[in-house]
């Protein structure tokens, strides 16, 4: 029987502009979970049976690139599960893959079908690797090989914008474009290419995740949560929260252990 649970790992120091952390999950039990938009794209390596997605009646690919999403979905495991997940910063996936992140919007794409990146070879080496620490090193080294000065230059403007959004989700697109020193249309194109979603929609995810973070910390007065998270009013809060979670804030508090992925740092 495999040891169950989550383990988190830091990426190589040179990658921390792009990668938040890696996590490994192991379980020998059947289980299911409701997932929400997190605001961070991922690459998933399944070392045992991939997860099942009931909404589409499909299994994830053994090697899956998961982009920005704006809807909740269920995931279930029917047997032994062992997965290694690279969690990127909101703008980190596109520059390292040298592919517009918008191509993965609301999609889970098999990495086996993307040529020229070496992902297939990396997946094969991870599948044959016995020690998870060695697997993490393989991923680190592959990502380090993707680093370029061009990638860093692309992220600088959008990095500043995302930091502003995390602290002030009500900031207007005009204000965000000014931070990036770009015209509005050019900014929107650049943001969508790097982050994978348009700025207005991403701000909605930030508000949702900020509300989850407040609820996680013990705040149960929902009017306070709505105000501090940047919603215009209570009805706006409930409407967007239901869109991203499938439930009202009050129902989620009663039925689920609330957790914010975007505003939590486990490493």
């Amino acid at each position: 029987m495999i040891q169950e649970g989550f383990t988190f790992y830091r990426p190589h120091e040179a990658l921390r502009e792009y990668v938040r952390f890696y996590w490994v999950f192991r379980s020998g039990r059947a289980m299911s979970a409701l997932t929400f938009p997190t605001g961070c794209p991922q690459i998933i390596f399944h070392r045992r049976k991939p997860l099942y997605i009931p909404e589409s009646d499909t299994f994830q690919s053994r090697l899956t690139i998961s982009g920005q999403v704006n809807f909740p979905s269920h995931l279930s495991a029917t047997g032994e599960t062992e997965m290694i997940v690279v969690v990127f910063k909101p703008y980190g996936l596109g520059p390292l893959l040298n592919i517009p992140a918008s191509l993965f919007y609301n999609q889970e794409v098999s990495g086996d079908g993307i040529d020229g990146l070496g992902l297939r070879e990396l997946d094969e080496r991870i599948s044959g690797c016995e020690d998870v620490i060695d697997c993490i090193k393989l991923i680190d080294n592959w990502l380090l090989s993707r680093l370029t000065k061009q990638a860093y230059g692309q992220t600088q403007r959008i990095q500043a914008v995302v930091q502003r959004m995390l602290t002030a989700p009500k900031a207007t697109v005009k204000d965000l474009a000014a931070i990036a020193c770009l015209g509005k249309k050019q900014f929107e194109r650049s943001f969508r290419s790097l982050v994978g979603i348009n700025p207005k929609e991403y701000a909605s995810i930030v508000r949702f995740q900020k509300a989850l973070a407040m609820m996680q910390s013990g705040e149960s007065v929902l009017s306070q949560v709505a105000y501090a998270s940047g919603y215009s009013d209570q009805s706006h809060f409930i409407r967007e929260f239901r869109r991203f979670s499938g439930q009202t804030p009050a129902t989620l508090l009663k039925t689920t252990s609330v957790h914010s992925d975007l505003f939590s740092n486990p490493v």
Side-chain angles (χ1 to χ4, degrees):
M1 180 177 291
I2 62 176
Q3 184 177 357
E4 296 191 2
F6 286 91
T7 311
F8 296 88
Y9 299 90
R10 289 182 181 272
H12 187 282
E13 186 175 358
L15 294 169
R16 292 175 193 171
E17 290 289 333
Y18 309 91
V19 180
R20 294 184 63 200
F21 51 84
Y22 309 124
W23 57 263
V24 177
F25 177 70
R26 300 182 181 91
S27 176
R29 299 178 292 115
M31 61 179 63
S32 63
L34 177 63
T35 66
F36 307 143
T38 66
C40 294
Q42 302 175 341
I43 295 180
I44 305 165
F45 299 89
H46 287 287
R47 283 161 53 83
R48 287 186 169 83
K49 192 169 184 178
L51 301 180
Y52 176 67
I53 308 170
E55 285 85 355
S56 58
D57 192 23
T58 58
F59 284 90
Q60 288 182 330
S61 299
R62 191 179 72 173
L63 166 58
T64 294
I65 301 174
S66 181
Q68 298 282 1
V69 299
N70 64 359
F71 57 87
S73 63
H74 292 82
L75 294 172
S76 63
T78 57
E80 287 197 345
T81 302
E82 183 175 352
M83 52 197 295
I84 302 174
V85 179
V86 184
V87 180
F88 291 89
K89 292 192 174 181
Y91 44 80
L93 175 67
L96 287 179
L97 268 57
N98 198 26
I99 296 174
S102 55
L103 295 178
F104 304 106
Y105 174 61
N106 277 346
Q107 294 190 66
E108 293 196 329
V109 177
S110 172
D112 288 336
I114 302 178
D115 296 326
L117 298 181
L119 267 171
R120 186 180 305 170
E121 293 82 358
L122 175 62
D123 180 46
E124 289 174 354
R125 294 181 70 187
I126 288 172
S127 295
C129 185
E130 293 190 10
D131 188 282
V132 72
I133 298 296
D134 291 336
C135 293
I136 296 297
K137 290 178 180 177
L138 288 172
I139 297 170
D140 253 351
N141 289 334
W142 177 78
L143 289 170
L144 286 167
S145 75
R146 303 293 306 172
L147 276 178
T148 64
K149 290 183 179 179
Q150 181 183 6
Y152 180 68
Q154 289 182 68
T155 63
Q156 284 182 300
R157 294 174 188 250
I158 301 305
Q159 180 181 13
V161 168
V162 170
Q163 289 302 318
R164 176 62 173 166
M165 296 174 84
L166 294 177
T167 57
K170 292 182 72 173
T172 67
V173 173
K174 182 179 179 180
D175 291 340
L176 297 173
I179 292 171
C181 299
L182 296 171
K184 182 175 178 290
K185 289 186 177 180
Q186 185 182 3
F187 164 67
E188 289 176 326
R189 286 195 300 269
S190 180
F191 190 96
R192 183 171 175 80
S193 177
L194 265 69
V195 180
I197 192 171
N198 70 56
K200 186 176 180 179
E201 195 167 16
Y202 191 74
S204 298
I205 293 173
V206 171
R207 283 193 295 268
F208 168 69
Q209 284 286 331
K210 197 172 184 69
L212 288 178
M214 291 190 66
M215 294 158 69
Q216 178 183 348
S217 67
E219 179 60 70
S220 59
V221 180
L222 296 180
S223 59
Q224 292 292 332
V225 173
Y227 175 77
S229 302
Y231 292 96
S232 56
D233 54 41
Q234 191 80 352
S235 62
H236 180 210
F237 174 39
I238 293 172
R239 184 171 64 251
E240 279 200 352
F241 200 96
R242 192 195 297 270
R243 178 161 70 96
F244 291 135
S245 72
Q247 303 178 56
T248 67
T251 301
L252 191 70
L253 273 176
K254 292 177 182 177
T255 59
T256 307
S257 178
V258 178
H259 174 78
S260 169
D261 290 283
L262 185 60
F263 287 91
S264 295
N265 187 11
V267 294

